[in-house]
Amino acid sequence: MNVTEWIGLITAAGSILGGGGFFVARATVKASQATARANEAVATIQANPQAKAQDFAVLQATVQRVDEENGKLRLRQSRLETLLRAFAWTTDRWARQMHHAGIEPEPAHPLVDEYNRTGV
């Protein structure tokens, strides 16, 4: 190739590239938009574990609170059952004392009879 052909080739390439600058700019804009969407997606993905961690922390706190409340309720129930047994033992002793003294006590309530039979 001689110099004239090279100059023609360079001029043609310049006009193609110069006219193609529009396409290059458009591609650059699309690429930057795609990059922005990808960055948003990455930010969302990275935020999800943090949101899940916060949800898990709330769940853990709730479970701990419910466990504490259940423990307190179980303790109250245990104390109440102990009191009920002591009261049942005391009233049974009084009823036996009345029988020994020849006094017939009033019949017990049906729930008391059921408790005395089943213990529940």
Side-chain angles (χ1 to χ4, degrees):
M1 252 192 199
N2 62 23
V3 175
T4 310
E5 291 174 345
W6 277 106
I7 292 174
L9 184 61
I10 292 172
T11 305
S15 65
I16 291 173
L17 291 177
F22 169 75
F23 296 109
V24 171
R26 196 167 117 192
T28 303
V29 169
K30 288 189 179 210
S32 67
Q33 290 172 348
T35 302
R37 285 192 303 271
N39 288 339
E40 288 175 13
V42 168
T44 302
I45 289 169
Q46 288 176 344
N48 279 342
Q50 291 173 348
K52 287 183 181 184
Q54 289 173 348
D55 291 345
F56 183 68
V58 168
L59 179 63
Q60 259 184 327
T62 303
V63 167
Q64 182 178 0
R65 180 183 54 83
V66 169
D67 282 346
E68 288 173 6
E69 288 175 2
N70 282 345
K72 290 176 184 177
L73 288 173
R74 286 184 183 132
L75 182 61
R76 284 185 71 188
Q77 182 178 357
S78 175
R79 287 180 181 169
L80 186 59
E81 288 173 352
T82 303
L83 176 64
L84 179 62
R85 284 188 195 101
F87 183 75
W89 180 80
T90 302
T91 54
D92 184 54
R93 186 172 46 104
W94 290 342
R96 276 188 277 120
Q97 286 175 349
M98 290 175 74
H99 281 297
H100 288 301
I103 304 169
E104 190 60 35
E106 291 285 326
H109 189 277
L111 289 176
V112 174
D113 282 337
E114 181 181 345
Y115 177 79
N116 286 334
R117 277 192 324 274
T118 64
V120 180

